[in-house]
């Protein structure tokens, strides 16, 4: 990657990365600073995924940014580079049934707790994208940063881990449920996805609490009950 940038362009990129280390530098006293972010709060189908990443102090990974600002090719390359260079990383995954049970916000918190809890290194400070995560140890300081994935390299790294992990899962789901086009829209409510929902009803990975506007859930439940009687 470094060979792609030279001279003034490289200097500009390094300056951008330097700005994105502001919070990491502010908490440099901590033995480990971890970025936390999620992907998939808004889709009609699939899991919500959280990423947690601890980067080496002062590490600058070229092009690392909010995952939404990156091309698919760039995200995939950074996904591998983060895994190679991180001190520790993990993801947490909460599926659609659990989302329907406890709501998307609580499911997001659960995924974040999973990710932080799976890290091989215990962080002293969490840099979180726009949330404070309930249920974590009090000694783990949490810093809520609005638009954090564009302001902190650690959070940006977590956003890439979460986004790419979830995208890979949705591509796999596309193979299981090809009628919906999950590989293209990743479960978001595009016109094509909504039309497929209306034609085929809900798949096993749809969030029932999200799709009532598009599918008669009363009919869905009757169909499921009838199916279970026929196939006990």
């Amino acid at each position: 990657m470094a060979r792609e940038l030279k001279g003034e362009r490289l200097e500009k990129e390094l300056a951008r990365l330097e700005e994105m280390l502001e919070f990491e530098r502010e908490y440099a006293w901590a033995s480990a600073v971890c970025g936390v972010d999620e992907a998939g709060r808004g889709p009609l189908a699939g899991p919500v995924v959280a990423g947690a990443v601890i980067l080496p102090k002062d590490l600058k990974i070229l092009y690392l940014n909010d995952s939404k600002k990156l091309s698919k090719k760039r995200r995939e390359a950074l996904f591998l580079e983060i895994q190679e260079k991180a001190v520790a990383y993990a993801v947490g995954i909460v599926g659609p049934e659990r989302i329907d049970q406890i709501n998307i916000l609580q499911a997001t918190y659960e995924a974040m707790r999973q990710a932080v809890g799976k890290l091989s290194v215990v962080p002293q400070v969490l840099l979180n994208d726009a949330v404070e995560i309930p249920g974590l140890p009090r000694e783990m300081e949490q810093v809520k940063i609005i638009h954090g994935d564009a302001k902190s390299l650690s959070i940006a790294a977590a956003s890439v881990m979460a986004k790419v992990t979830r995208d890979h899962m949705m591509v796999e789901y596309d193979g299981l449920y090809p009628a919906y086009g999950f590989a293209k829209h990743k479960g978001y409510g595009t016109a094509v996805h909504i039309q497929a929902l209306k034609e085929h009803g809900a798949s096993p990975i749809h969030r029932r609490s999200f799709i009532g506007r598009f599918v008669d859930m009363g009919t869905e439940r009757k169909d499921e009950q009838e199916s279970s009687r026929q196939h006990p």
Side-chain angles (χ1 to χ4, degrees), residues 1-6 9-10 13-14 16-17 60-65 70-82 84-85 160:
M1 280 191 174
R3 285 191 292 255
E4 296 179 27
L5 290 179
K6 295 180 182 179
R9 290 179 63 200
L10 179 58
E13 173 65 2
L14 292 174
R16 183 187 69 83
L17 295 173
K60 295 173 183 169
I61 298 178
L62 292 178
Y63 308 109
L64 182 54
N65 205 340
L70 302 168
S71 67
K72 179 180 182 294
K73 182 178 179 180
R74 186 74 75 196
R75 281 197 303 267
E76 292 285 348
L78 287 167
F79 180 71
L80 298 176
E81 188 171 359
I82 291 164
E84 177 188 342
K85 294 181 176 178
V160 169

Side-chain angles (χ1 to χ4, degrees), residues 42-47 95-101 166 170 173 177-182 185-190 192-212 214-215 217 220 224:
L44 306 179
E97 286 189 13
R98 184 65 173 159
I99 292 170
D100 289 337
Q101 288 173 356
R166 187 179 187 281
M170 295 309 294
Y173 282 130
Y177 312 110
Y180 300 92
F182 291 135
H185 52 65
K186 307 302 188 292
Y188 284 88
T190 64
V192 170
H193 185 189
I194 291 168
Q195 185 58 38
L197 255 178
K198 291 177 178 178
E199 289 181 8
H200 304 287
S203 75
I205 68 160
H206 276 98
R207 303 171 182 178
R208 267 52 180 176
S209 56
F210 278 49
I211 62 173
F214 314 115
V215 176
M217 297 311 297
E220 283 285 320
E224 289 174 1

